[in-house]
Amino acid sequence: MSNLPLYVCRRATDKIVVDGRLDEPTWDRAETFSLRMTNTGAEPRLRTDVRALWDDTYFYVAFHCSDNDIWANMTEHDAPLWEEEVVEVFLDPAMLGTAYFELVVNPLNVLTDVFVVNLGNRERVFQPLRGWECEGIQHAVDVDGNPSDPDSKDTSWTVEMAIPFEQLVTAPNIPPKVGDTWRGNFYRIEQNAEGDEYTAWSPTGAINYHVSDAFGTIVFAE
């Protein structure tokens, strides 16, 4: 685990309005990292920048996705969004590796939220429990383009999420205390005619995001 990434998640200093715009000054103080190809660790063709913050109520995550062909078709909550273009957050507050939360958002601002039981790790023996609902989650997408028009000129899309701590029931402290550590990962699926890209904060070594022993560490700080 020594070569896995560590993210220092700072406390938000301003009120965050979840609108996908990231125009609050506190976002500028959040450390930014870029996703890499999950199977090789190489730089992707299209860049994805991710930031996170927290306060006493929410864990905030923001993705900015460069994209010259933004598209999505699924419009129903808890649809299998991972079959299209999405961003994904995996959070393992208890650092168990066998149970974690998965939150997925597509460019149409559709959410799929599941609790995952993973008994196989790299052997793909995992079960998504779709009955779990992240009540109170806020999520918004700001699109420079049109995901419903294949002929539109697209540039990027940004996702902002506020995930309530009270729904992340495996966490040892709700809300976290300064110095608490969680494990998790952040992902993107990009699909277009130039080739699909599966990217991650902490590359898993395979086109498989459910590799919990590859999760990085999140440290909560002031």
Side-chain angles (χ1 to χ4, degrees):
M1 293 175 54
S2 60
N3 61 338
L4 298 177
L6 182 146
Y7 184 77
V8 177
C9 186
R10 297 185 174 93
R11 184 185 286 272
T13 55
D14 306 314
K15 178 178 174 58
I16 294 176
V17 177
V18 179
D19 55 10
R21 296 176 185 173
L22 311 185
D23 50 6
E24 294 87 2
T26 192
W27 277 120
D28 294 333
R29 292 188 283 271
E31 180 182 346
T32 300
F33 57 87
S34 298
L35 304 188
R36 297 176 288 155
M37 299 296 287
T38 194
N39 55 335
T40 65
E43 293 292 326
R45 180 175 55 84
L46 293 171
R47 184 183 178 98
T48 308
D49 290 332
V50 185
R51 288 176 275 179
L53 293 164
W54 69 292
D55 60 21
D56 286 341
T57 306
Y58 296 107
F59 181 76
Y60 300 93
V61 184
F63 293 79
H64 180 73
C65 308
S66 298
D67 197 340
N68 58 1
D69 181 20
I70 305 168
W71 68 276
N73 293 319
M74 297 185 188
T75 58
E76 294 187 5
H77 174 67
D78 276 351
L81 299 182
W82 44 81
E83 297 176 3
E84 300 185 342
E85 295 195 330
V86 293
V87 297
E88 305 190 40
V89 178
F90 284 33
L91 295 173
D92 181 2
M95 304 177 68
L96 297 171
T98 55
Y100 46 86
F101 303 92
E102 176 180 359
L103 302 129
V104 188
V105 175
N106 74 1
L108 296 175
N109 196 32
V110 180
L111 172 74
T112 290
D113 46 1
V114 296
F115 183 72
V116 179
V117 176
N118 186 345
L119 301 180
N121 199 7
R122 294 184 180 272
E123 286 70 41
R124 292 180 176 265
V125 183
F126 61 89
Q127 178 65 46
L129 305 179
R130 299 195 190 187
W132 176 75
E133 296 291 334
C134 189
E135 300 290 345
I137 187 173
Q138 300 176 42
H139 53 98
V141 177
D142 185 66
V143 180
D144 187 356
N146 186 344
S148 300
D149 181 1
D151 296 322
S152 64
K153 183 178 180 181
D154 302 330
T155 302
S156 65
W157 55 294
T158 302
V159 180
E160 189 174 21
M161 301 186 207
I163 304 166
F165 286 120
E166 66 180 11
Q167 298 299 314
L168 306 179
V169 295
T170 61
N173 296 303
I174 298 177
K177 297 179 180 179
V178 171
D180 279 3
T181 57
W182 291 7
R183 296 195 69 199
N185 218 336
F186 304 87
Y187 304 110
R188 177 185 174 188
I189 298 175
E190 158 60 26
Q191 299 178 340
N192 67 36
E194 297 180 52
D196 297 347
E197 293 189 320
Y198 295 82
T199 52
W201 171 47
S202 184
T204 64
I207 307 296
N208 176 11
Y209 288 162
H210 291 271
V211 180
S212 56
D213 64 11
F215 287 179
T217 300
I218 301 163
V219 179
F220 291 89
E222 284 290 358

